[in-house]
Amino acid sequence: MEVHKGLADVVVSETSLSAIVEGQLSFSGYNIDELVEKDASFEEIIFLLWNSRMPSREEFAQLQHDLHTHMALSESVIACLKIQCRQNLHPMSVLRTTVSLLGVFDPYAEEMDERSVYIQAISIQAKIPTIVAAFARLRKGLDPIAPREDLSFGANFLYMLTGEEANPDLVRAYNHCLVLHADHDLNASTFTARVAASTLTDVYSCITGAIGALKGPLHGGANERVFDMLSEIAESDTRDVAGYLKTKLDNKEKIMGFGHRVYKTEDPRKKHLKRMAKELTQEFGKEDLYDLSCEVEDYLLKEKGLIPNVDFYSATVYHCFGIEHDLFTLLFSMSRVSGWLGHVFEQKREATLIRPRSKYVGPVNLTYIPLSEKETIGGNAQ
């Protein structure tokens, strides 16, 4: 049996959602560069990933209506969020548990017909921004802010964080982030969602599992670790980028935000995030953070040939939104859930259980000795 560590280069499914071909990323045939440069809305991308086509005006309006209808949280969910506002509980654990609770409170969570599954998906997609914003406020002792029906998906989230409408440039930048992070081939969290969906379990279970996978520092959690690294360098007495990174590399420590299993020359999402990082740091007077990020990028490229992935500059961009760094991966989740749900739909239609094999490398031909026949020392079986 040939073993592919980490399933590297193993193709396990077909999809019409996203593709990485010759270093280019596309969603159902639309190049990611064009979607960002022409300001495609995140709501359009949700529809695209769920239907493999762009919406008509009527379909777009209906999707917006459905999202707004399901965005508010019940008092029961808010009460559960308050309970989770304690130290040493990672916000991704809060999101994971709260999404699971949505299924507990949904009387139709076990229904598998097409309409019920769609409503479950809409509910999850719509409520995650509200969950994140409510939690961000509750842990500061502030009351949650209800969503508004007249704001877009991204604008609503930024509004629910502060109670004030964000400026159009910030909304546009956040919409770009949502589009860029929406889907990405068969990454770890998406694969987790598809494995769960292949068992024909409910949608809430699929997404709860995907969130658990995204939490890991080798996946979505990397952007949080990137900001920790930048902060350590910036707050040091010497601000010695080369010395800091050399020590990390000499100690065989992984540099978060660099390297990619698929991309070898450039992550196509990076250039957009780097541009946004430059623009936003200039707007908010945080140019030093952008300059520091560029120094880190230049050093690692020169010394190790390492390239930034989507997580590296997204950390700087998210910081400019005024969001605490331990919430960065939750922002990733708000976007990526659209892709997860698209893959759940696709996998359920395929109706094939994902069940790989493993190669056994443990001991063989051992002889079992019953406990009653083993020698005892001091009355204890050995």
Side-chain angles (χ1 to χ4, degrees):
M1 299 174 68
E2 185 178 1
V3 176
H4 295 264
K5 292 289 186 180
L7 295 181
D9 300 320
V10 174
V11 178
V12 301
S13 67
E14 295 180 333
T15 183
S16 62
L17 276 68
S18 64
I20 302 171
V21 180
E22 296 181 353
Q24 296 296 310
L25 173 63
S26 63
F27 296 160
S28 294
Y30 293 91
N31 187 281
I32 192 69
D33 293 338
E34 184 178 22
L35 293 173
V36 171
E37 291 163 5
K38 292 186 177 180
D39 289 322
S41 70
F42 180 57
E43 289 89 333
E44 287 179 283
I45 302 306
I46 294 173
F47 189 96
L48 175 65
L49 293 174
W50 292 7
N51 299 277
S52 295
R53 62 178 178 83
M54 284 293 186
S56 65
R57 288 179 180 272
E58 292 76 14
E59 290 169 329
F60 181 76
Q62 183 63 53
L63 177 63
Q64 284 188 311
H65 171 76
D66 292 344
L67 288 169
H68 287 138
T69 299
H70 291 87
M71 198 168 278
L73 299 178
S74 68
E75 289 300 321
S76 297
V77 173
I78 291 174
C80 291
L81 282 172
K82 290 179 180 178
I83 294 172
Q84 296 178 83
C85 289
R86 64 172 176 79
Q87 288 185 328
N88 302 320
L89 181 60
H90 195 282
M92 279 296 284
S93 296
V94 174
L95 181 63
R96 178 201 63 214
T97 300
T98 307
V99 168
S100 183
L101 279 170
L102 295 181
V104 174
F105 292 128
D106 183 350
Y108 304 103
E110 305 301 328
E111 301 296 328
M112 297 297 182
D113 61 280
E114 185 175 342
R115 180 60 182 171
S116 296
V117 169
Y118 173 76
I119 295 300
Q120 293 159 23
I122 280 287
S123 180
I124 294 170
Q125 180 75 66
K127 284 182 172 60
I128 284 183
T130 319
I131 290 169
V132 177
F135 175 72
R137 293 181 62 82
L138 285 168
R139 69 177 184 172
K140 295 178 182 177
L142 302 172
D143 291 329
I145 295 173
R148 284 171 36 180
E149 293 188 2
D150 61 323
L151 296 178
S152 67
F153 187 93
N156 239 321
F157 171 68
L158 296 175
Y159 166 74
M160 289 187 289
L161 277 176
T162 65
E164 298 179 0
E165 285 190 52
N167 71 60
D169 289 339
L170 209 59
V171 173
R172 180 172 182 261
Y174 187 49
N175 183 77
H176 286 175
C177 288
L178 290 168
V179 171
L180 288 167
H181 287 93
D183 196 44
H184 198 240
D185 191 54
L186 205 56
N187 56 83
S189 55
T190 299
F191 186 58
T192 301
R194 288 196 76 125
V195 170
S198 78
T199 71
L200 301 185
T201 190
D202 65 282
V203 176
Y204 294 99
S205 294
C206 297
I207 303 306
T208 299
I211 293 171
L214 188 71
K215 179 186 176 185
L218 294 185
H219 192 11
N223 54 24
E224 179 182 335
R225 305 311 194 278
V226 168
F227 192 77
D228 290 341
M229 175 183 69
L230 295 174
S231 297
E232 286 178 14
I233 298 173
E235 294 167 6
S236 65
D237 294 334
T238 59
R239 198 180 178 278
D240 181 6
V241 172
Y244 177 93
L245 294 172
K246 185 177 186 303
T247 299
K248 289 278 189 182
L249 293 169
D250 289 345
N251 292 335
K252 309 297 183 184
E253 295 181 47
K254 186 172 180 62
I255 308 296
M256 293 299 177
F258 283 83
H260 200 279
R261 180 72 67 84
V262 179
Y263 301 119
K264 304 306 178 186
T265 56
E266 183 178 73
D267 185 327
R269 302 165 294 179
K270 169 249 177 178
K271 60 180 177 289
H272 299 290
L273 288 160
K274 185 174 183 178
R275 169 186 53 79
M276 285 189 281
K278 183 177 182 179
E279 294 171 353
L280 291 172
T281 52
Q282 288 176 343
E283 181 175 350
F284 293 101
K286 300 176 183 291
E287 292 95 337
D288 286 350
L289 181 59
Y290 176 76
D291 293 340
L292 175 59
S293 300
C294 291
E295 287 184 57
V296 172
E297 178 186 2
D298 292 343
Y299 179 87
L300 291 173
L301 181 61
K302 179 181 178 181
E303 298 298 324
K304 290 293 181 179
L306 293 174
I307 60 169
N309 56 41
V310 71
D311 297 305
F312 184 65
Y313 281 102
S314 67
T316 298
V317 172
Y318 287 166
H319 175 68
C320 290
F321 293 142
I323 298 167
E324 295 93 335
H325 75 280
D326 63 345
L327 297 177
F328 286 0
T329 313
L330 284 76
L331 269 66
F332 196 146
S333 302
M334 276 184 238
S335 171
R336 185 55 59 85
V337 68
S338 60
W340 292 337
L341 289 164
H343 282 273
V344 167
F345 299 154
E346 193 172 62
Q347 187 63 47
K348 283 179 175 290
R349 289 193 298 269
E350 186 175 312
T352 301
L353 178 67
I354 297 175
R355 204 295 190 188
R357 296 288 309 280
S358 61
K359 182 179 181 179
Y360 180 71
V361 294
V364 296
N365 299 324
L366 300 181
T367 300
Y368 169 71
I369 300 175
L371 287 174
S372 60
E373 296 179 14
K374 291 183 179 180
E375 297 181 6
T376 62
I377 298 177
N380 296 319
Q382 300 295 311

